[in-house]
Amino acid sequence: MPRAFFFWGIMADKPGFPEILSFSPTGYGDELAWAAAISISIAILAYALGLLIGIIGALGKLGGSELTQKVLHGYTTLVRAVPELILILLLFYAGTSGLNALLAEAGFESITINGFIAGVCVLGFVQGAYSTEVLRAAIQAIPIGQIEAARAYGMSPFLQFRRITLPAMLSFAIPGMANLWLIVTKGTALLAVVGYTELTLATKQAAGNTKMYFTFYIVAGAIYLCVTLLSEQGFGWLERRVRRGQRALT
Amino acid sequence: MNSLKLAAKILIYGTLLIVAALILYWLVFHSRWSWFVEYLPLLIKGLWLTILLLVLSVVLGGLLAIPIGLVQVTGPAPLAWAAKTFCTVIRGTPLLVQLWLIYYGLGSLFPQIGMAYPGFKENFMWLIRLDGFYYALFAFTISFAGYEGEVMRGAFLGVPRGELEAARAFGMSPWKVLTRVWFPRAVRFVLPTLAGETVLQLQSTPLAFTVTVMDLMGVTSKIRQDTFRIFEPLMLLAVLYMCLTFVIVWGFSFVEKMVPQKR
């Protein structure tokens, strides 16, 4: 009796364990799969937005005027010093109500902002600060002689970036960028706190409805873990590819 | 080119000035801070809970990380495999999922056991009635142990082989090699990264408010619900966390200067 009790207690909480995860109308499999797709889409778009901000930010920090550098320094310091959760709450509320105040001022009706877009923008804004630092460090790690040589060949700044800076910095940037991707996939879980139904909140609702907490949280954890492990493989392959021809580390 | 630069400069300055003016306007004419005095005692308690969560989870998690890192280097194989799996799982899943798994999962398991075994209910009532703080502390501790265990593994590996061989050649027992040479050398590697890890840990503590802990974040959301003010409490919170971050960074750089370092 005790052993059976513990098995049900930990693995399933209640009888009906495998069926509840089915894709049928009574199971939660389809809800979880849909929520996982939303989480991953948000992560991809936020990562892309962060990468865009990061490229502009890194170039601005290295080659911009003194003013640009100060502004970017303020941005990266501020974002990295305040917890992500608080930034998400602030930007989520400030972004929506600020936009509505502006719209009201301009004479338009107020709109409700799509949680998906707001999530992408907020996470992208936070990611941008971290990507800026990663890319800046990667560009600075290129031996200065290589860039001087490119300049001596008379390459235009764009050609120099495409042929020399970009390929040379990739091997320095990819470990950091891989880390940021893992952070953003897990960061999407924070959107559950502002009430947006992505994987974590969908899990919470399903677990609350069925009282099968262990089952659902372990399934959600396994989905996140799969994404992480697959991405690690992908980034490992990418790093080997951009490092080909270079001496091995250590 | 020059006029373009000037235009860009005016644009950036202009935007910054407008944003600053808007925030200032809002702060002066629209923000309300009358709740501050009333909630000050709660805020101080919340700050204390946040600091307590941070310090306890960093200390306990750091202690737990030492064996987790060590067995991955020395073996035995099953332990090394278990430690590696633990680190991968912790680092591969969101802290929020771990926290809710522990809080809702264990939190519903204990009453169930209590229902089945009256003896358990009598002797372990405290376990059934456990405050959210302890669940949060447990989740944060194992999370920190998972991240730091990986760092400790690298640090143990980073100690030059020759130094360990020299220690063994002096006739030191394995335990003595660990406490006299291996561990002290590994800690030097970890110390510079510890400030960053602690800041990251501080930044995950506000999640505790989702399991009813009245830390800084919990007090702030109570203020938001009571007074219907959204931005003022959140702004205060952001400033407080920034101050805590700078205190941590400053404190660790102070400690790092005290530790003698061979360059």
Side-chain angles (χ1 to χ4, degrees):
Chain A
M1 167 58 196
R3 181 165 289 180
F5 177 81
F6 267 95
F7 176 76
W8 285 118
I10 288 171
M11 279 312 294
D13 307 298
K14 268 178 189 176
F17 158 57
E19 299 91 65
I20 202 73
L21 292 172
S22 71
F23 284 75
S24 65
T26 51
Y28 282 91
D30 44 346
E31 277 92 343
L32 288 188
W34 176 242
I38 288 178
S39 276
I40 294 171
S41 322
I42 290 180
I44 291 174
L45 290 176
Y47 188 67
L49 181 61
L51 193 60
L52 188 70
I53 296 176
I55 292 171
I56 296 170
L59 292 178
K61 258 197 171 180
L62 290 173
S65 63
E66 204 175 318
L67 177 67
T68 327
Q69 286 181 16
K70 267 185 195 147
V71 171
L72 287 169
H73 181 72
Y75 164 60
T76 51
T77 312
L78 203 70
V79 168
R80 292 187 305 161
V82 178
E84 211 176 356
L85 180 67
I86 293 167
L87 277 178
I88 286 174
L89 284 173
L90 256 178
L91 293 173
F92 221 80
Y93 295 130
T96 44
S97 72
L99 199 62
N100 274 332
L102 280 180
L103 283 175
E105 207 65 29
F108 291 103
E109 279 177 33
S110 70
I111 50 167
T112 49
I113 290 173
N114 186 326
F116 185 87
I117 296 171
V120 168
C121 291
V122 171
L123 287 176
F125 181 78
V126 177
Q127 278 278 308
Y130 289 93
S131 323
T132 300
E133 288 299 295
V134 168
L135 294 176
R136 182 188 59 82
I139 293 176
Q140 275 182 333
I142 301 172
I144 194 75
Q146 297 187 6
I147 292 178
E148 280 168 358
R151 218 174 286 151
Y153 270 107
M155 287 188 189
S156 69
F158 180 72
L159 192 67
Q160 180 191 319
F161 181 77
R162 186 168 67 86
R163 284 241 180 108
I164 309 296
T165 314
L166 188 64
M169 76 173 229
L170 272 182
S171 62
F172 298 112
I174 279 186
M177 293 311 293
N179 223 348
L180 286 184
W181 164 250
L182 298 182
I183 288 174
V184 78
T185 49
K186 286 180 279 170
T188 55
L190 295 179
L191 294 176
V193 178
V194 290
Y196 183 68
T197 310
E198 39 63 70
L199 183 53
T200 304
L201 193 55
T203 306
K204 191 189 184 191
Q205 288 159 352
N209 287 344
T210 57
K211 309 280 177 231
M212 295 164 73
Y213 298 102
F214 278 114
T215 314
F216 279 104
Y217 284 115
I218 287 174
V219 167
I223 295 174
Y224 281 110
L225 194 60
C226 281
V227 173
T228 302
L229 293 178
L230 283 177
S231 329
E232 269 176 358
Q233 293 292 318
F235 275 106
W237 174 83
L238 203 62
E239 196 184 339
R240 277 195 300 280
R241 195 177 148 72
V242 298
R243 289 188 65 88
R244 67 195 190 280
Q246 291 182 18
R247 211 176 293 157
L249 287 172
T250 69
Chain B
M1 194 62 202
N2 240 339
S3 61
L4 200 71
K5 263 187 186 163
L6 191 69
K9 204 168 192 175
I10 290 170
L11 197 71
I12 297 176
Y13 265 124
T15 326
L16 280 182
L17 274 177
I18 289 171
V19 169
L22 275 176
I23 293 176
L24 203 68
Y25 169 79
W26 179 82
L27 274 177
V28 173
F29 292 104
H30 287 281
S31 66
R32 296 277 176 278
W33 296 89
S34 49
W35 46 267
F36 183 75
V37 180
E38 190 190 332
Y39 284 96
L40 189 60
L42 262 183
L43 278 169
I44 292 172
K45 265 188 204 158
L47 181 67
W48 167 242
L49 267 190
T50 295
I51 294 175
L52 204 63
L53 261 181
L54 174 70
V55 172
L56 284 179
S57 67
V58 165
V59 170
L60 295 176
L63 288 177
L64 209 56
I66 297 168
I68 289 173
L70 190 65
V71 294
Q72 286 187 65
V73 179
T74 59
L79 268 183
W81 182 85
K84 179 100 197 95
T85 311
F86 172 76
C87 287
T88 311
V89 169
I90 293 292
R91 284 150 39 95
T93 53
L95 179 57
L96 192 59
V97 172
Q98 295 164 17
L99 180 63
W100 285 355
L101 171 71
I102 289 167
Y103 180 71
Y104 292 110
L106 284 184
S108 68
L109 184 67
F110 290 143
Q112 276 179 36
I113 300 176
M115 219 89 94
Y117 302 99
F120 179 84
K121 199 172 179 179
E122 275 164 30
N123 295 320
F124 292 98
M125 202 56 205
W126 60 273
L127 206 56
I128 296 170
R129 290 268 171 84
L130 203 56
D131 192 52
F133 176 82
Y134 297 99
Y135 289 105
L137 180 61
F138 181 59
F140 293 161
T141 301
I142 60 166
S143 160
F144 193 74
Y147 280 93
E148 207 56 30
E150 196 71 15
V151 176
M152 283 310 293
R153 184 187 72 94
F156 278 122
L157 273 177
V159 177
R161 276 191 91 79
E163 291 183 21
L164 301 179
E165 279 162 9
R168 242 170 266 140
F170 270 110
M172 290 187 187
S173 66
W175 176 251
K176 211 162 219 177
V177 172
L178 180 68
T179 53
R180 283 244 179 112
V181 182
W182 209 3
F183 180 65
R185 287 283 280 135
V187 164
R188 301 273 163 89
F189 290 121
V190 176
L191 210 54
T193 64
L194 207 55
E197 297 283 336
T198 310
V199 168
L200 286 181
Q201 184 71 6
L202 170 72
Q203 303 202 343
S204 41
T205 54
L207 284 177
F209 99 103
T210 60
V211 295
T212 71
V213 178
M214 283 304 256
D215 68 332
L216 268 183
M217 183 81 198
V219 173
T220 310
S221 60
K222 181 178 161 55
I223 295 173
R224 268 171 39 214
Q225 281 159 9
D226 290 356
T227 63
F228 301 111
R229 308 302 304 180
I230 297 175
F231 295 123
E232 295 91 337
L234 278 176
M235 274 179 159
L236 179 70
L237 194 61
V239 171
L240 282 173
Y241 270 100
M242 252 151 62
C243 294
L244 283 176
T245 304
F246 291 131
V247 167
I248 291 172
V249 171
W250 177 82
F252 270 98
S253 73
F254 182 75
V255 171
E256 241 175 274
K257 271 183 210 139
M258 307 251 297
V259 176
Q261 193 103 33
K262 207 180 94 182
R263 275 172 231 285

